[in-house]
Amino acid sequence: MKHLIDPTDLTLEETNEIIALAEDIIAHHDHYTERMKGRKLATLFYEPSTRTRLSFTAAMMELGGNVLGFSDAKNSSVSKGETVEDTVRVVSNFADIIAMRHPIEGAPLVASEVSEVPIINAGDGSHSHPTQTLTDLLTIKRELGHIDNITIGFCGDLRFGRTVHSLIKALSRYKGIKVILIAPDTLRLPDYIKQDVCDRLGIQYKEVDTLEEAIPHLDVLYMTRVQKERFLDEDDYDRVKDSFVLDAARMKLAQPHMTVLHPLPRVNEILKEVDDDPRAAYFRQVGNGKIVRMALICKLLEWKNDNRHPMPTPKKQTMVMEKIRCHNSKCICNNEDIRPRFYDSADGVTRCFYCDTKVK
């Protein structure tokens, strides 16, 4: 059975199938209004969300299906101590497909190992956000006409930004991708992404200190919010929150075709004066999110019993190591009764199977 926990759970061909279906839904929306009639989507959202949760809900409803679930873990049996595994085992009896957002990294992966229906990771902590990645890929395709052979700049919080990590992984399968990383020292892209994705797969990348250095060379500028909730020290947040701001003056440095993306919500990293620029695609991006989730739901249910669409082979060598543990306090194995597992990544480092954190 096919789940979507990480962008690389989909092959390049499967990713392109979903994007192509999304484009067909846009062109022939009326043909899909009863595609999911009689089917149910469960949205299990353990942390607040507006765009993603409503996007999944709208997607299923526009396909003619029904939606059930919860938008706050306090309103579920989770408040009584029910584990992710048990919740998913129960909900699998009520729904045909499940979309899960969880603040604990690795929770959707654990869910996928016990679920009787496809699981969609709608975001797990700072780890991965694959449906946002599909949204981004569809938006790039619609704005530029292609995904191959682009230079994309990622600006802002590259350390904790799960959308950035997921998109870089997905872009690694396309040809001619160049990446420019624009971030303060404290928020630079984690080494394991640079080593295990960029270096291993040959993606050209460089790190710069200012937007001005990068923006003239970009086909896509991907802005991100400096997320206060990801900082343990508020003073650290205050020092960097205004470091990289996109305004009209900086937009004048960009190429006429450059597209500006943002997963939203924004705070002050893109000024409102940029909104009327035709290159600002972040609100069109939101609409694309609903469409690509419609396509994803259709495809995962189509592939559910199709042996031609299996889950990929587990990460390298999965190991159970009694004497070591994951040091990520937000990992599922440190928050529920889940046995720690590890694997050797391509850079020769042992990492947590659930959250990819390096073992110290």
Side-chain angles (χ1 to χ4, degrees):
M1 180 164 51
K2 196 78 175 183
H3 306 282
L4 180 58
I5 308 304
D6 183 90
T8 55
D9 290 336
L10 299 172
T11 65
L12 179 58
E13 292 74 20
E14 289 168 342
T15 300
N16 288 336
E17 272 192 58
I18 291 168
I19 292 172
L21 178 57
E23 291 180 308
D24 195 63
I25 291 172
I26 292 168
H28 307 100
H29 194 276
D30 290 348
H31 297 178
Y32 294 88
T33 55
E34 295 190 358
R35 183 64 64 92
M36 288 294 115
K37 186 176 181 179
R39 300 290 191 98
K40 295 182 287 295
L41 165 72
T43 54
L44 309 185
F45 276 61
Y46 290 74
E47 67 176 356
S49 169
T50 301
R51 275 151 297 277
T52 304
R53 183 174 62 83
L54 294 181
S55 181
F56 270 110
T57 300
M60 193 60 168
M61 292 175 69
E62 289 192 25
L63 290 167
N66 296 301
V67 182
L68 52 92
F70 55 81
S71 59
D72 187 336
K74 294 177 182 178
N75 298 327
S76 74
S77 293
V78 175
S79 63
K80 302 174 184 178
E82 186 172 65
T83 65
V84 166
E85 288 182 322
D86 285 358
T87 297
V88 168
R89 283 191 173 103
V90 169
V91 176
S92 292
N93 290 283
F94 309 142
D96 299 287
I97 189 167
I98 295 172
M100 172 186 287
R101 168 165 287 187
H102 207 295
I104 300 302
E105 297 171 16
L109 176 56
V110 167
S112 72
E113 294 183 322
V114 300
S115 180
E116 298 295 325
V117 301
I119 296 289
I120 301 172
N121 179 5
D124 61 330
S126 300
H127 187 226
S128 188
H129 197 353
T131 63
Q132 180 64 50
T133 299
L134 290 173
T135 299
D136 300 337
L137 293 175
L138 175 61
T139 304
I140 292 170
K141 177 73 184 303
R142 295 192 71 198
E143 296 292 323
L144 298 181
H146 59 92
I147 300 174
D148 292 324
N149 302 309
I150 63 169
T151 298
I152 180 169
F154 293 95
C155 181
D157 180 359
L158 311 189
R159 179 183 178 188
F160 298 106
R162 60 190 171 197
T163 57
V164 172
H165 303 172
S166 292
L167 184 53
I168 289 175
K169 284 183 181 180
L171 287 171
S172 69
R173 277 99 61 86
Y174 290 87
K175 297 177 182 178
I177 301 299
K178 297 179 181 178
V179 172
I180 300 179
L181 305 169
I182 314 152
D185 288 340
T186 54
L187 294 177
R188 290 201 183 273
L189 192 72
D191 287 342
Y192 84 88
I193 297 288
K194 288 185 282 189
Q195 295 167 2
D196 207 25
V197 179
C198 297
D199 291 340
R200 182 171 65 87
L201 300 174
I203 294 180
Q204 295 184 44
Y205 74 92
K206 66 177 181 178
E207 296 178 300
V208 301
D209 296 320
T210 67
L211 262 170
E212 286 81 357
E213 293 175 75
I215 203 166
H217 310 289
L218 302 179
D219 300 301
V220 179
L221 173 59
Y222 197 97
M223 296 295 295
T224 65
R225 174 171 61 99
V226 177
Q227 302 175 76
K228 185 174 183 179
E229 60 266 32
R230 303 300 183 198
F231 285 78
L232 298 177
D233 188 327
E234 191 167 335
D235 289 339
D236 289 343
Y237 168 75
D238 289 336
R239 276 193 293 271
V240 301
K241 65 179 181 179
D242 297 324
S243 297
F244 298 87
V245 175
L246 183 63
D247 56 18
R250 290 187 172 99
M251 286 296 291
K252 290 180 180 178
L253 303 174
Q255 299 182 75
H257 71 273
M258 188 195 77
T259 295
V260 182
L261 304 186
H262 192 305
L264 301 178
R266 65 173 168 184
V267 182
N268 62 346
E269 62 275 10
I270 300 178
L271 299 189
K272 290 181 68 176
E273 64 192 38
V274 177
D275 293 355
D276 292 331
D277 191 305
R279 295 168 292 181
Y282 32 89
F283 292 118
R284 296 192 292 274
Q285 190 179 356
V286 174
N288 289 334
K290 178 192 69 177
I291 299 297
V292 87
R293 289 178 176 104
M294 291 172 70
L296 176 63
I297 290 167
C298 290
K299 282 297 182 181
L300 287 182
L301 288 173
E302 176 187 324
W303 296 337
K304 181 180 176 183
N305 299 311
D306 188 340
N307 293 331
R308 294 172 299 175
H309 296 277
M311 288 296 286
T313 303
K315 305 169 184 175
K316 297 297 181 179
Q317 179 65 42
T318 301
M319 302 169 285
V320 177
M321 306 176 71
E322 302 292 347
K323 294 184 179 180
I324 64 173
R325 62 183 180 85
C326 177
H327 291 271
N328 178 5
S329 63
K330 293 185 177 181
C331 179
I332 188 72
C333 69
N334 289 319
N335 289 271
E336 293 195 3
D337 185 19
I338 300 294
R339 194 176 191 186
R341 294 153 70 189
F342 304 91
Y343 72 100
D344 290 330
S345 60
D347 57 359
V349 174
T350 300
R351 299 186 184 279
C352 175
F353 179 75
Y354 300 104
C355 70
D356 295 307
T357 296
K358 179 180 177 180
V359 174
K360 296 179 181 179

